[in-house]
Amino acid sequence: ATNGWEIACVDRRRRVSTMARTWSMWIASMAFSMMWVCVWTYTHPTDQEALEVFLDGIDEDPRGYLSSWRGSNDACGDEWMGIECNEDGRVTVLNLHYRCDQWRCDRPVSEGGGPNELVGTISPWVGNLTELRRFHASHNRLYGPLPSTIGRLRHVFGT
């Protein structure tokens, strides 16, 4: 036979044990969530900032080529139009020449192909894209001096 005290004691331990498991699961899920937030951005911070400053120098984007760049803070992870990245999150291609998809760059203008006709300047920050391999900017109306920082792009120019 058991008395009321033993039942209450056992019942209380069960509740404490359940609460401890609930709290430990909550803490573990919060830790995982925080870890997820810390690794969410894929683009290297220097490259991301360089692209955002470059975008600020574009006065007109009549065909909406750079629309995928707006409202996003991860050029590589969100697959910005004209941007290709390596596995380290470094920008390797900056293609402002034609609106392309992964299969074709030669679509007629009626299908969204053709020159982008961007108007603006090339920011000196483009020199911070140190892993850039290809930089296509023809068929746009970019004006102003060519930034000297482009000389830092050793993979593009082979220096």
Side-chain angles (χ1 to χ4, degrees), residues 1 6 11 19 34 41 44 47 52 55 65-66 71 77 87 99-100 102 106 109 118 128 134 138-140 146 148 151:
E6 289 175 2
D11 207 32
M19 281 178 45
M34 292 169 131
T41 302
H44 190 280
D47 291 11
E52 289 172 3
L55 179 61
Y65 183 74
L66 302 178
E87 62 278 352
R99 183 180 207 99
C100 302
Q102 65 188 69
D106 59 348
V109 173
L118 300 172
N128 292 337
R134 290 182 300 182
S138 62
H139 293 88
N140 290 293
L146 194 60
S148 62

Side-chain angles (χ1 to χ4, degrees), residues 1 6 13 17 21 23 29 37 58 73 77 81-83 87 92 106 114-115 121 130 142 149 158-159:
E6 289 175 2
R13 274 186 265 156
S17 175
R21 274 185 288 190
W23 274 104
S29 68
V37 169
I58 299 299
N73 62 352
M81 181 72 77
I83 302 296
E87 62 278 352
T92 58
D106 59 348
T121 60
T130 56
L142 301 174
T149 56
T159 59

